[in-house]
Amino acid sequence: MTATTSDIERAAGLLRDGGLVALPTETVYGLGANAEDPTAVAQIFQVKGRPPSHPLIVHIAGAEHLHAWVEEVPATARLLAERFWPGPLTLVLRRGSRVPLEATGGLETVAVRVPDHPVALALLSAFGGGVTAPSANRFGSVSPTTADHVRAELGDAVDFVLDGGPCQVGVESTIVDVTGGRPTILRPGGVTREDLEAVLGGPVAVPSTSHVRVPGQHPSHYAPRARVALVESEKVVAEAELAQEQGHQVGVFLPHSLAGASVKAHAVVALPGSTAAYAHGLYGYLRELDERGCDLIVASLPAEKGLGLAIANRLRRAAGPRASA
């Protein structure tokens, strides 16, 4: 069921009262709170189990509101906002006084974006302010791309879930730091490096590590319950079958290049040839293999160009070292 006007009005009222609302965006579902209410923002961290040092993204209704949330809007930021907003691009800028430090993880920078989803935009317009909205799931786990994912994971911890249908992009926004001389991608996502470079007319850096804290940088993130093992694409079938023989319940991400190959495993996801379709389905695939009882997922990384860069980033984090129980 898709959110109605009365649903949006109810959600806006809950945000004004300090409540938490799950909202759809084009990327993933977010867990929203009034960005100017430190108490409400603190509830996000509590519900997610998220470290308070991890900054949140402030969602606004349009690029024309950006100046109200940041200290200044450099020319590069204006250019990117004009081209990619609404859309899956987050800009890191100097924090304006309107933004509490609770929302920035104590940093003097703030991450801001305009989501490209009619329900999210209607909510932001009805609310009349900014909404901090990290992914609506427990910290470090697989991001939700449907309202049912949110309900299953967070349940009554959320005051209201706005249903906007499945998310179209399926991976989080690209985060770009525009506080320095050269724009830098801090997290790859729904806007590709190639698209950014085409608009800016020059190279955009993608450092392996960054001094700027942003969402999604934890070593283990976007992780299913099953352990994720990354191997070369040509070794996926052999590694999966070996692990199955050793007693694992193996889930396989079968590369499109191996379409039709027979795999002796517990469950197999045949990946699409399009990286856009892969990104759209990625988190759903991980959840599916968890639900089917897999304890190990064998996958390979796509070519790291276009949306493949974001997919590879998410898979590496999903396969990252996890804290011991």
Side-chain angles (χ1 to χ4, degrees):
M1 179 177 178
T2 303
T4 63
T5 300
S6 61
D7 290 333
I8 290 167
E9 291 172 352
R10 177 185 173 189
L14 286 166
L15 289 173
R16 292 188 197 101
D17 291 340
L20 298 183
V21 174
L23 63 147
T25 76
E26 78 281 23
T27 58
V28 301
Y29 272 72
L31 180 60
N34 180 354
E36 296 177 83
D37 184 341
T39 302
V41 170
Q43 287 186 49
I44 287 179
F45 290 95
Q46 182 178 357
V47 167
K48 284 179 62 70
R50 181 186 180 99
S53 60
H54 285 233
L56 306 177
I57 295 172
V58 176
H59 295 67
I60 59 176
E64 66 273 17
H65 302 294
L66 179 60
H67 69 279
W69 296 92
V70 302
E71 189 176 87
E72 63 176 336
V73 183
T76 298
R78 286 197 299 272
L79 179 61
L80 292 175
E82 288 170 2
R83 171 60 182 83
F84 295 108
W85 282 358
L89 177 70
T90 294
L91 299 177
V92 174
L93 294 152
R94 298 295 177 190
R95 177 182 72 94
S97 59
R98 190 173 180 178
V99 184
L101 287 170
E102 286 83 357
T104 69
L107 299 176
E108 289 300 331
T109 54
V110 62
V112 186
R113 88 175 185 100
V114 179
D116 188 14
H117 194 291
V119 173
L121 292 172
L123 174 61
L124 289 163
S125 179
F127 174 58
V131 174
T132 50
S135 57
N137 56 285
R138 303 294 179 188
F139 180 71
S141 66
V142 179
S143 301
T145 53
T146 70
D148 284 342
H149 292 164
V150 179
R151 296 186 185 104
E153 185 153 353
L154 297 183
D156 294 339
V158 183
D159 295 307
F160 190 54
V161 179
L162 277 173
D163 191 341
C167 300
Q168 293 304 303
V169 176
V171 292
E172 291 80 359
S173 61
T174 302
I175 300 178
V176 178
D177 181 4
V178 288
T179 61
R182 181 183 181 188
T184 301
I185 294 176
L186 303 181
R187 179 184 71 184
V191 171
T192 69
R193 179 183 189 174
E194 292 85 351
D195 286 341
L196 291 168
E197 291 179 339
V199 169
L200 295 173
V204 177
V206 187
S208 56
T209 59
S210 170
H211 69 283
V212 180
R213 296 198 306 272
V214 293
Q217 286 185 315
H218 197 268
S220 176
H221 217 85
Y222 319 108
R225 292 189 299 274
R227 185 170 64 86
V228 177
L230 299 177
V231 301
E232 297 297 326
S233 59
E234 64 270 17
K235 297 180 180 178
V236 165
V237 172
E239 292 291 335
E241 292 186 339
L242 175 60
Q244 188 75 21
E245 290 172 4
Q246 292 173 339
H248 288 285
Q249 297 293 297
V250 179
V252 182
F253 274 17
L254 188 67
H256 187 70
S257 60
L258 301 178
S262 176
V263 190
K264 296 176 182 177
H266 182 69
V268 178
V269 171
L271 297 175
S274 158
T275 53
Y278 190 176
H280 173 77
L282 175 61
Y283 293 145
Y285 302 151
L286 292 171
R287 286 177 178 273
E288 175 190 344
L289 294 182
D290 265 349
E291 290 166 3
R292 294 178 68 177
C294 297
D295 61 46
L296 176 67
I297 297 171
V298 177
S300 60
L301 298 177
E304 296 186 45
K305 58 184 180 181
L307 280 172
L309 181 64
I311 296 168
N313 170 270
R314 303 311 189 269
L315 287 174
R316 285 196 181 95
R317 300 286 181 181
R322 305 184 187 185
S324 57

